[in-house]
Amino acid sequence: MIKAVIFDVGGTLFKSDSVEKDREVKAGQKLLEFFKKNGIVLKLTPQQVADAMTLGEKKFKQWSKNDGNSIDISPYELFSNWVFKDVLKKEDLLRLKIISPNAINLWKMCGTPDIRVGCAKMLADLYKQGFKLGIISNTTSFTNVVIRLFKNKIYQYFDEDSIFLSCSSQYRKPGTEIFKAAADTIGFKTSEVAYVGDRISKDVVGSRDAKYGASIRILPEKYSEMEEGQEKNDTKYLIKSLSELAPLLKQINKPSKVKK
């Protein structure tokens, strides 16, 4: 019996996190200005900052997946060890430690996507039906997810203890640690929890390995945003839109007929 539903954020509750290049450059400019205002002068162009952020995040995620046992890091560690390691001065590090949580938000919010069609209604319906709702998100920002929920007026469906961020828990998807910790914290067995996400490699594999009751994959709204290999139908539960989730949960929870 599924009693709780935990969601991925980007690509699931919201449209894909991918952003246009010009928005990345604008975010790079904002980062440069923010750093300078706080005493850190980077001799880089906005484009170079955007490229450094994109490459640094990509390298970290690859390392975490292959060699880091799916661990996560703080915004300070991302900036100092992966993004600007070769351009920061020693005297910049203390300032960076103080401002890094706000700095990462400038970058993360540059491409804040729209909420997916039917999201608010789906959450309201599941909430009224008595499901405990939660979130597991891979992110280096402590506040980005919460800001998105507030801006789109869907925060009320989640409790403070049901939002799990990789930067806070120190573990990333697809590692089972964050999935198991989420289920335990909200007070349910993993077999009583369904997870909904758009990525096979992170969401389906992670929740399935953690023995969740249901690993539900939602397809992206655009085929161009589909993960490599994601067109393969290797997921037991597959939905195309959020409006299909409530009927699917009803079907999963339907008592099986006992053969006489």
Side-chain angles (χ1 to χ4, degrees), residues 22-35:
D22 64 327
R23 296 185 71 176
E24 289 187 349
V25 174
K26 289 179 180 178
Q29 179 64 44
K30 288 183 178 180
L31 274 177
L32 278 176
E33 294 171 355
F34 182 72
F35 280 138

Side-chain angles (χ1 to χ4, degrees), residues 102-154:
N102 290 330
I104 197 67
N105 283 339
L106 290 175
W107 174 254
K108 291 294 183 181
M109 296 304 288
C110 76
T112 302
D114 295 328
I115 194 171
R116 280 190 72 145
V117 174
C119 179
K121 184 180 185 305
M122 175 274 299
L123 291 173
D125 288 345
L126 294 185
Y127 187 80
K128 290 177 183 177
Q129 291 173 32
F131 287 100
K132 175 78 172 183
L133 305 181
I135 283 173
I136 295 177
S137 178
N138 281 354
T139 178
T140 48
S141 170
F142 295 111
T143 58
N144 176 256
V145 170
V146 175
I147 290 173
R148 288 191 191 185
L149 299 179
F150 266 115
K151 281 190 172 182
N152 289 276
K153 299 180 180 179
I154 56 174

